[in-house]
Amino acid sequence: MKKRTSGSDEGGGGDSPSQLIDARIEELGDWRGEALARIRALVTKADPDIVEEWKWRGVPVWSHSGMICTGETYKNAVKVTFAKGASLDDPSGLFNSSLEGNTRRAIDFHEGDTIDEEAFQALVHAAVALNTS
């Protein structure tokens, strides 16, 4: 996994995006941190050339030749938004949020949800392929 220092590091005092994501996971300290850590691991395992970024005052972003997805945390959900999700095949039906738009698609994970790791990584692979085509 490549670690890049570009992107906003607001409030990070110069920490790298990867360090800021580590801190967010630790700061959450509950199921959301565990889910975000698992999502991060799946994204970075799916593509070793993924670049981690920190944007919009605290949103983890994973990119490869453009944005792949974001990992936003809310009180009751961890939302993974695929920047070009509407253009991706989703045969497993993982997308369950932001379905009405023409560009993005998202997956909302709630406490107790399991992640279909194979299907999730297939979406990451498809998003990278779309960005690099």
Side-chain angles (χ1 to χ4, degrees):
M1 170 184 58
K2 295 182 181 180
K3 295 181 180 181
R4 187 164 87 178
T5 57
S6 67
S8 174
D9 62 354
E10 296 172 23
D15 290 337
S16 74
S18 292
Q19 291 170 320
L20 292 167
I21 296 169
D22 289 341
R24 171 61 50 82
I25 290 167
E26 185 175 330
E27 168 189 303
L28 289 166
D30 60 11
W31 71 269
R32 296 170 302 160
E34 293 171 12
L36 185 60
R38 186 68 198 132
I39 290 160
R40 177 194 203 186
L42 291 170
V43 170
T44 56
K45 183 179 176 187
D47 180 11
D49 293 325
I50 287 287
V51 175
E52 293 192 313
E53 299 175 282
W54 185 256
K55 296 186 176 192
W56 309 297
R57 299 179 194 252
V59 175
V61 175
W62 294 282
S63 299
H64 180 153
S65 299
M67 188 182 305
I68 299 300
C69 62
T70 64
E72 301 165 74
T73 53
Y74 299 96
K75 183 177 180 179
N76 295 316
V78 175
K79 179 184 285 288
V80 179
T81 303
F82 282 78
K84 298 177 183 174
S87 298
L88 302 177
D89 286 332
D90 180 23
S92 297
L94 293 182
F95 291 131
N96 62 11
S97 182
S98 305
L99 301 175
E100 66 285 344
N102 293 329
T103 306
R104 292 181 291 279
R105 292 286 184 273
I107 306 166
D108 286 353
F109 294 101
H110 299 93
E111 188 171 10
D113 286 353
T114 58
I115 300 172
D116 182 336
E117 295 181 2
E118 186 175 322
F120 184 83
Q121 287 186 307
L123 283 176
V124 173
H125 286 289
V128 169
L130 182 61
N131 281 0
T132 58
S133 64

